[in-house]
Amino acid sequence: MLSRGSEYGLSDAVTRQRLAAWTAEGRGAFAPWAVRGAHDGIAFATQAHTFGDWDQINNPTWLHARFREAYGSQEAPCSPFVEP
């Protein structure tokens, strides 16, 4: 939600700061996946135009299919970061 404007009364500066933090290089075993997910979330937010689009993020079947389409399987190694 941050990438299309916050509903929580955050300033634009705080919103930009949080997006930068979530898309920065992380540490830990799953950091590459977390950063990739942040980029994917931003891409989704810029493409979602209807309430129906937004409802998809609460649909585990849709999320899993989207993940498999983008990355293959969960066991696959995370590809190098490519800016969306």
Side-chain angles (χ1 to χ4, degrees):
M1 294 295 251
L2 284 175
S3 61
R4 58 185 293 251
S6 177
E7 296 178 359
Y8 305 108
L10 299 176
S11 69
D12 288 345
V14 171
T15 298
R16 283 190 299 275
Q17 181 183 20
R18 288 185 180 194
L19 288 171
W22 291 335
T23 56
E25 184 176 334
R27 294 183 305 247
F30 299 103
W33 287 110
V35 173
R36 183 71 254 169
H39 283 286
D40 289 346
I42 291 168
F44 173 81
T46 60
Q47 296 167 359
H49 298 292
T50 68
F51 288 118
D53 294 337
W54 284 103
D55 282 344
Q56 294 294 356
I57 63 174
N58 294 315
N59 179 339
T61 303
W62 179 85
L63 286 169
H64 188 253
R66 186 173 170 101
F67 179 90
R68 295 280 240 176
E69 182 180 312
Y71 301 107
S73 71
Q74 189 172 359
E75 293 78 30
C78 188
S79 61
F81 294 105
V82 177
E83 291 293 323

